C-alpha cells in the first residue's frame, strides 16, 4: 500500500504507558454498553491530541479531519484554552448557579454579543440533546402550542424528545417518541424533486412545511426546528430561500423558529459566524454544543428576553449548566476564534478543500456530489451518477483506506455513503492538500 508523509508538525507525543489496545477493547466489551459504536474494522485508540492532529498509543500521528465529530473547533489541547481551563480548575471547579460566579455572566455577555437581533439571553447546559430539549420546552410554553415541524434526514440528539425530532430510523428506538412532531421533506437539491438547476427550489421545499402545518397540525405550531446544514445527514446544504420561507410559514402559524447550530456554529461556515446567517434568517432560539467547548461538556440555548422569561413559571435547574470550568473554556474558545482569525481560515481552507473535491469529482465518477460551506463539507459517493444509487460499501472502503494513510474522516448520510470532512478550524493548506491526496489514492484504489 502506498504511504504518504503527513505535513510536518512540531509536537512530540508523550510515551504511552497505559493499558494495551487489546485490554481496552476487552474492558469496553465487558463493562460498557454494547450499544457503543466504534469506527473502523480495527478500531484505533487515540491517546493524545495537539491542534489538528491526534496520536495513537504507538505514537502514530493522524490528521483529524473529523474533530471528534465536529467538536474540536480550535484545535486539540489548544494551549490558551487549556491555560484558562487549568486556571479555573485550580481555583474553583464547581458551585452551581445557586451562588454567584463572575465567569458565567461574562461568558453569557460574550456569547450574546456574537448573536444577531434580540438573541441576548443564554442558558447553559451540557450537551446538544439537552439544549434542543430545552429549546423545545421553551417553544411549547411560550407559544402555548404543541406541534413541531422538523425535517427528514435531521439529527438533533438521542434523548426522548430529540430522538423524536431526529428523522433517521438508525437513531430511533422502537417506542413512542415523536408525539406532536411532523417531518417535512428534506430540502435535498441533489436527490430531492427540485435540484440545483431550479432557482425556486428553496421555496418549493418550504411549501411542504406549509402543507404539513395546514394538514397535519391544528394549524398552530410551537416551532420549526432545523440544523443550518444537516450534519449527520451528510452535510446537506439547503437551497437558498428554504429557511426564510419555512420560518415565515412557522411564524404565521404562531410558532417560533429554532436553529440547531450544534455543528455549524462558531465560524465553521467561513462566510458567517452562524450557519443560519448563510440563509439570511434570524431564529428565535438557537441551540449550540460541540465546537462551543472544543471538547468540554458545554452547550447553550440562546434566545430573546421575551421567550427566556417563560421558564420563570417554574424552577428549571441544571447542575453542571454554567459550570465555571466549562464557561472559562467556552470564553477562551470565543477569544481564540477571533484572535487566530479562525472564521477566515475556515473560509479559505474550505474554499481550497472544495476546489480539491471538484478536481476529484472530474476524475472519479463515483463522486456524485460534493457540497458544504467552509469546513463543514461532505462528498457523496454513488455507484453511478444517473441512478445515484448510494455507494455505501465503497464509501466504507475509502474511509478505511484513508485511516491507513493517516487521515481520520467521518461517514454519514442515511446510507452511509457520504464522506464527512469537518476538521478543526486551525487546519492548514498542506493539511487540505493531504486530505485531497489521500482521497485521490483511496478512490483510485476502489
Ligand atoms: C446537529 C446536532 N444536534 C444535536 C446533537 C446532539 O448533541 P449531543 O450528542 O451533544 O447530545 C448532535 C450530535 O451529533 C448534532 O449533530
Amino acid at each position: 500500500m502506498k504511504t504518504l508523509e503527513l505535513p510536518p508538525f512540531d509536537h512530540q507525543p508523550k510515551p504511552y504507558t497505559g493499558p494495551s489496545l487489546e485490554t481496552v477493547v476487552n474492558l469496553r466489551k465487558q463493562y460498557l454498553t454494547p450499544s457503543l459504536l466504534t469506527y473502523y474494522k480495527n478500531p484505533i485508540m487515540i491517546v493524545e491530541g495537539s491542534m489538528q492532529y491526534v496520536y495513537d498509543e504507538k505514537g502514530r500521528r493522524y490528521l483529524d479531519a473529523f474533530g471528534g465529530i465536529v467538536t474540536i473547533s480550535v484545535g486539540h489541547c489548544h494551549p490558551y484554552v487549556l491555560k484558562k481551563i487549568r486556571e479555573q480548575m485550580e481555583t474553583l471547579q464547581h458551585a452551581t448557579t445557586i451562588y454567584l460566579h463572575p465567569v458565567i455572566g461574562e461568558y453569557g455577555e460574550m456569547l450574546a454579543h456574537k448573536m444577531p437581533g434580540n438573541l441576548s439571553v443564554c442558558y447553559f447546559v451540557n450537551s446538544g440533546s439537552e439544549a434542543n430539549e430545552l429549546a423545545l420546552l421553551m417553544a411549547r410554553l411560550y407559544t402555548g402550542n404543541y406541534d413541531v415541524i422538523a425535517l427528514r434526514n435531521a439529527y438533533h440528539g438521542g434523548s426522548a424528545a430529540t430522538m423524536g425530532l431526529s428523522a433517521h430510523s438508525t437513531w430511533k428506538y422502537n417506542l413512542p417518541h415523536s408525539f406532536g412532531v411532523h417531518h417535512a421533506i428534506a430540502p435535498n437539491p441533489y436527490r430531492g424533486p427540485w435540484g440545483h438547476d431550479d432557482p425556486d427550489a428553496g421555496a418549493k421545499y418550504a411549501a411542504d412545511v406549509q402543507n404539513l402545518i395546514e394538514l397535519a397540525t391544528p394549524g398552530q405550531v410551537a416551532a420549526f426546528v432545523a440544523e443550518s446544514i444537516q450534519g449527520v445527514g451528510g452535510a446537506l446544504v439547503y437551497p437558498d430561500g428554504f429557511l426564510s420561507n419555512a420560518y415565515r410559514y412557522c411564524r404565521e402559524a404562531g410558532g417560533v423558529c429554532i436553529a440547531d447550530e450544534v455543528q455549524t456554529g462558531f465560524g465553521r461556515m467561513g462566510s458567517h459566524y452562524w450557519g443560519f446567517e448563510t440563509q439570511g434568517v434570524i431564529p428565535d432560539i438557537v441551540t449550540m454544543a460541540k465546537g462551543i467547548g472544543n471538547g468540554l461538556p458545554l452547550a447553550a440555548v440562546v434566545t430573546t428576553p421575551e421567550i427566556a422569561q417563560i421558564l420563570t413559571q417554574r424552577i428549571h435547574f441544571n447542575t453542571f449548566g454554567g459550570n465555571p470550568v466549562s464557561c472559562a473554556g467556552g470564553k477562551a474558545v470565543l477569544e481564540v476564534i477571533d484572535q487566530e482569525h479562525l472564521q477566515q481560515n475556515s473560509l479559505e481552507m474550505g474554499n481550497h478543500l472544495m476546489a480539491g473535491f471538484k478536481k476529484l469529482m472530474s476524475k472519479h465518477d463515483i463522486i456524485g456530489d460534493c457540497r458544504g460551506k467552509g469546513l463543514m463539507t461532505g462528498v457523496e459517493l454513488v455507484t453511478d451518477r444517473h441512478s445515484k444509487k448510494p455507494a455505501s460499501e465503497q464509501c466504507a472502503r475509502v474511509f478505511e483506506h484513508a485511516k491507513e494513510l493517516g487521515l481520520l474522516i467521518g461517514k454519514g448520510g442515511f446510507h452511509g455513503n457520504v464522506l464527512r470532512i469537518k476538521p478543526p478550524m486551525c487546519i492548514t493548506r498542506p493539511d487540505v492538500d493531504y486530505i485531497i491526496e489521500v482521497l485521490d489514492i483511496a478512490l483510485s484504489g476502489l
Side-chain angles (χ1 to χ4, degrees), residues 65-67 69-72 153 155 226-238 260-276 278 290-291 342-343 345-354 357 369-379 410 412-413 418-425 427 432 435:
F66 202 33
I69 318 192
V70 211
T71 298
I72 301 300
N153 197 46
Y155 184 81
E227 296 156 89
S228 299
I229 288 181
Q230 290 184 334
V232 172
L236 181 66
V237 183
Y238 311 140
D260 179 334
E261 288 283 334
V262 167
Q263 293 202 15
T264 46
F266 299 94
R268 179 166 292 279
M269 299 288 97
S271 59
H272 298 82
Y273 204 82
W274 302 108
F276 57 77
T278 64
K290 291 188 183 268
L342 294 183
Q343 182 183 332
N345 196 53
S346 295
L347 178 67
E348 289 166 15
M349 293 308 110
N351 287 343
H352 189 45
L353 191 60
M354 197 51 69
F357 290 158
D369 191 29
C370 50
R371 52 186 180 249
K373 286 190 190 292
L375 291 175
M376 176 84 179
T377 67
V379 176
V418 184
L419 298 165
R420 293 164 65 198
I421 293 111
K422 306 166 180 185
M425 297 188 286
I427 197 166
V432 173
I435 295 172

Side-chain angles (χ1 to χ4, degrees), residues 12-33:
Q12 190 56 42
K14 293 185 267 301
Y16 175 72
T17 54
S20 68
L21 185 137
E22 291 69 32
T23 307
V24 172
V25 167
N26 289 333
L27 286 171
R28 184 146 151 161
K29 267 195 194 138
Q30 197 170 349
Y31 296 110
L32 303 185
T33 166

Side-chain angles (χ1 to χ4, degrees), residues 44-327:
I44 54 171
M45 183 156 84
I46 301 296
V47 295
E48 195 168 327
S50 179
M51 302 308 284
Q52 66 274 38
Y53 295 106
V54 289
Y55 300 83
D56 70 12
E57 77 286 4
K58 296 193 181 102
R60 180 173 179 192
R61 180 159 60 103
Y62 295 87
L63 172 58
D64 184 4
F66 202 33
I69 318 192
V70 211
T71 298
I72 301 300
S73 44
V74 301
H76 287 277
C77 298
H78 188 288
Y80 181 75
V81 178
L82 272 193
K83 176 174 172 282
K84 292 293 171 182
I85 293 172
R86 203 177 285 127
E87 280 170 10
Q88 184 56 53
M89 195 87 163
E90 287 169 357
T91 314
L92 180 76
Q93 198 179 346
H94 177 75
T96 83
T97 46
I98 56 175
Y99 308 110
L100 295 175
H101 189 279
V103 75
I104 180 172
E106 287 169 0
Y107 181 40
E109 182 184 29
M110 272 177 86
L111 191 55
H113 282 163
K114 290 287 177 197
M115 306 301 301
N118 199 19
L119 292 162
S120 59
V121 182
C122 307
Y123 195 124
F124 294 111
V125 292
N126 313 289
S127 70
S129 301
E130 272 183 293
N132 283 327
E133 285 267 347
L134 185 61
L136 211 54
L137 177 72
M138 286 184 190
R140 284 177 167 153
L141 288 172
Y142 179 73
T143 61
N145 299 329
Y146 191 77
D147 289 66
V148 172
I149 309 294
L151 296 178
R152 291 186 203 163
N153 197 46
Y155 184 81
H156 294 288
S159 62
T162 59
M163 193 188 297
L165 293 177
S166 300
H168 271 199
S169 56
T170 343
W171 306 98
K172 285 162 105 63
Y173 285 95
N174 192 6
L175 44 78
H177 53 248
S178 298
F179 191 68
V181 180
H182 312 270
H183 290 103
I185 298 174
N188 184 343
Y190 177 59
R191 289 188 174 277
W194 302 289
H196 292 295
D197 55 346
D198 185 343
D200 297 325
K204 288 178 180 168
Y205 285 108
D208 193 52
V209 170
Q210 183 189 35
N211 190 256
L212 261 186
I213 294 173
E214 283 172 353
L215 299 182
T217 79
Q220 294 288 108
V221 295
F224 168 78
V225 187
E227 296 156 89
S228 299
I229 288 181
Q230 290 184 334
V232 172
L236 181 66
V237 183
Y238 311 140
D240 288 346
F242 172 69
L243 283 185
S244 56
N245 281 294
Y247 275 26
R248 180 163 54 84
Y249 296 133
C250 167
R251 286 175 175 144
E252 281 169 7
V256 297
C257 300
I258 303 174
D260 179 334
E261 288 283 334
V262 167
Q263 293 202 15
T264 46
F266 299 94
R268 179 166 292 279
M269 299 288 97
S271 59
H272 298 82
Y273 204 82
W274 302 108
F276 57 77
E277 292 173 307
T278 64
Q279 285 262 326
V281 295
I282 299 183
D284 305 296
I285 304 178
V286 182
T287 60
M288 40 191 96
K290 291 188 183 268
I292 189 176
N294 197 44
L296 283 167
L298 172 64
V301 180
V302 182
T303 188
T304 64
E306 296 73 33
I307 296 176
Q309 191 61 28
I310 203 72
L311 282 186
T312 60
Q313 290 175 359
R314 293 287 186 281
I315 299 171
H316 196 271
F317 178 69
N318 187 306
T319 299
F320 292 117
N323 170 277
V325 176
S326 297
C327 287

